[in-house]
Amino acid sequence: MKDRRRPNPATIHPIAGYVSLIYVKPTIQNPNIVVGDFTYIADSDFERHVTHHYDFIGDKLIIGKFCQIAAGVEFIMNGANHQMNAVSTFPFYTLEGWQMKSPSLGDLPLKGDTLIGNDVWIGQNATILPGVHIGDGAIIGANAVVGIDVEPYAIVVGNPARQVKRRFDDDLISLLEKLRWWDRAVDEINRLIPLLTSGDLEMVRRELQKLI
């Protein structure tokens, strides 16, 4: 192990002496946020990046393992949505003095839980809108505004975000989805690192075919 230390998902600061990057999982307080092992953010406070997340709605933000979340990323939850099936979208019920009861959840345009897969890289200042599903291995470009689902191992950019390419062909993506390296033990992942970090994709393909 590097520096004779084992990777530990319960560590908050995985880079000694550097407080502006944290493993997210051990810092979570909100029960409606679920984050997998070794996912990090380039910040010291993850939950401030999750906005409009209200208990009465009950939506969840679920993020997988080994995700890389850059500075300035925002996860906008369903509480940001206003009633759209009425003449006015103004949220009278949230502001003092107005005679309006809270609308039923059925009258709000709720999009469900937001789901982020494993080994997803989310670039700086990207915005993830409510109810989006992002597949394993996807890359979200800096400043992207993601309002649609993203396929595994796709690259999306822009506002609104659009897919510009897939990272690999169908065969290699299928092998990676079967491998699910992020679910393996730390020692096994360490042994896989030469494959996971190699740019020789044909060699990677051959070796994965042997493993699976």
Side-chain angles (χ1 to χ4, degrees), residues 9 24-25 34-40 63-67 118:
V24 174
K25 182 177 180 178
V34 179
V35 180
D37 292 347
F38 301 110
T39 284
Y40 71 74
I63 301 177
K65 302 173 184 177
F66 292 93
C67 291
N118 304 279

Side-chain angles (χ1 to χ4, degrees), residues 149-185:
D149 291 350
V150 178
E151 296 178 358
Y153 294 95
I155 299 174
V156 301
V157 301
N159 179 10
R162 68 192 188 284
Q163 180 174 319
V164 292
K165 64 182 294 186
R166 294 190 310 160
R167 295 178 60 193
F168 314 117
D169 62 29
D170 287 341
D171 178 60
L172 186 50
I173 290 174
S174 177
L175 289 170
L176 290 167
E177 290 180 324
K178 291 175 183 175
L179 178 68
R180 296 188 61 83
W181 63 264
W182 44 80
D183 287 336
R184 301 191 177 217

Side-chain angles (χ1 to χ4, degrees), residues 1-9 23 38 184-193:
M1 298 296 174
K2 184 178 180 181
D3 302 325
R4 297 183 179 180
R5 297 180 180 178
R6 288 182 61 81
N8 182 355
Y23 282 154
F38 301 110
R184 301 191 177 217
V186 164
D187 289 341
E188 189 171 3
I189 294 173
N190 259 324
R191 290 193 294 270
L192 286 170
I193 284 176

Side-chain angles (χ1 to χ4, degrees), residues 9 63 68 70 81 86-87 96 124 128 166 175 178 182 199 209:
I63 301 177
Q68 312 112 61
N81 285 318
V87 171
E96 65 180 20
Q124 189 164 319
I128 312 300
R166 294 190 310 160
L175 289 170
K178 291 175 183 175
W182 44 80
Q209 288 169 342

